[in-house]
Amino acid sequence: MKIKPNIYDLLFYIAFAVCLIVSITLESKALLYASPLVVVTLLIKYINATKKNADPLFILALIALIGVNFFSFYGFNNYFKTLTLLTSSYLLLYCLILKKYIVKAKYSISISVSIGALLVVYIIYSVVALLIDYMPKSNLFYMILCACCLLIYATVVAKIYLKNNYQHGTVLLGSGISSIFHIGLSPINEYFYFNKTFTVIIIISHFISIYLFMIFITKTKPKKPQGYYNQ
């Protein structure tokens, strides 16, 4: 019997729902295997949807994300350096994937755009400044590295969205905002103030960011006239 394509969506929804239920009803340690499983369903869905056209960079990013999800609940503090390196890796892989969607053109900077850019920079800076006194000094370099990679990714997303050349630009923007929220809130929840509600919100924003990013790169074709990156 041939499996219908939407079975992969169903697998993701089931894994996502199970992960949410576990995060609400059980301790965080219970998410050790449930959380990576959600990313595995997305990996299967992506490979099925793209087949031979699958981007190896996104597959590598998903593998890094599986590691992020595992180590986050296996020992966030003990494996913080590994977590930040994996997070930085998938953010940079995201940027490489998005390179072909970037327009080589001048960008008009409006007041609203300036305010939005300053807000993102301020949020990232505030999280770093808040956590400096609450984490081991040996972890500071890795936290700053991850923050810089997040800022680079946010810049790439903003650059693509502001040109408004793609139908699914808002999908990518949603993915970027969710990533900032998830990456910024996770260390606050672990080092500064732990709350189970925060854990649930982190999980939701984390998986939404991956799902929306996948939707963008699978449904949006990069434009290749003169003035575009097509390498």
Side-chain angles (χ1 to χ4, degrees), residues 150 153-154 157 171-181 209:
L150 180 58
Y153 172 60
V157 170
V171 172
L172 180 63
L173 179 65
S175 174
I177 293 173
S178 298
S179 294
I180 294 172
F181 194 82
S209 70

Side-chain angles (χ1 to χ4, degrees), residues 131-152:
L131 295 173
I132 284 178
D133 295 329
Y134 292 91
M135 64 166 49
K137 301 302 179 184
S138 59
N139 289 345
L140 291 181
F141 169 79
Y142 296 90
M143 180 179 66
I144 294 172
L145 173 66
C146 188
C148 290
C149 291
L150 180 58
L151 185 58
I152 293 171

Side-chain angles (χ1 to χ4, degrees), residues 80 121-137 140 143-144 147 181 183-194 198:
F80 183 81
V121 173
Y122 176 75
I123 290 173
I124 295 175
Y125 168 78
S126 297
V127 172
V128 173
L130 175 67
L131 295 173
I132 284 178
D133 295 329
Y134 292 91
M135 64 166 49
K137 301 302 179 184
L140 291 181
M143 180 179 66
I144 294 172
F181 194 82
I183 295 173
L185 189 58
S186 293
I188 293 175
N189 194 40
E190 292 292 334
Y191 287 110
F192 182 69
Y193 178 73
F194 178 81
F198 285 173

Side-chain angles (χ1 to χ4, degrees), residues 6 10 27 37 41 45 48 75 80-81 87 91 105 110 112 118 133 141 144 147 165 169 174 188-189 202-203 208 210:
N6 61 11
L10 182 61
E27 296 296 324
L37 183 61
T41 62
K45 172 178 169 57
N48 176 74
F80 183 81
K81 295 176 184 177
T87 301
L91 289 172
S110 63
S112 59
L118 289 173
D133 295 329
F141 169 79
I144 294 172
N165 285 294
I188 293 175
N189 194 40
I202 288 167
I203 287 172
I208 286 178
I210 305 170

Side-chain angles (χ1 to χ4, degrees), residues 80-129:
F80 183 81
K81 295 176 184 177
T82 302
L83 278 169
T84 52
L85 290 175
L86 287 172
T87 301
S88 299
S89 297
Y90 87 73
L91 289 172
L92 293 177
L93 286 169
Y94 274 10
C95 292
L96 291 174
I97 294 167
L98 294 175
K99 180 182 176 182
K100 55 182 173 286
Y101 296 94
I102 299 177
V103 179
K104 292 178 70 176
K106 292 183 179 179
Y107 291 78
S108 58
I109 306 299
S110 63
I111 294 177
S112 59
V113 170
S114 301
I115 293 174
L118 289 173
L119 181 61
V120 170
V121 173
Y122 176 75
I123 290 173
I124 295 175
Y125 168 78
S126 297
V127 172
V128 173

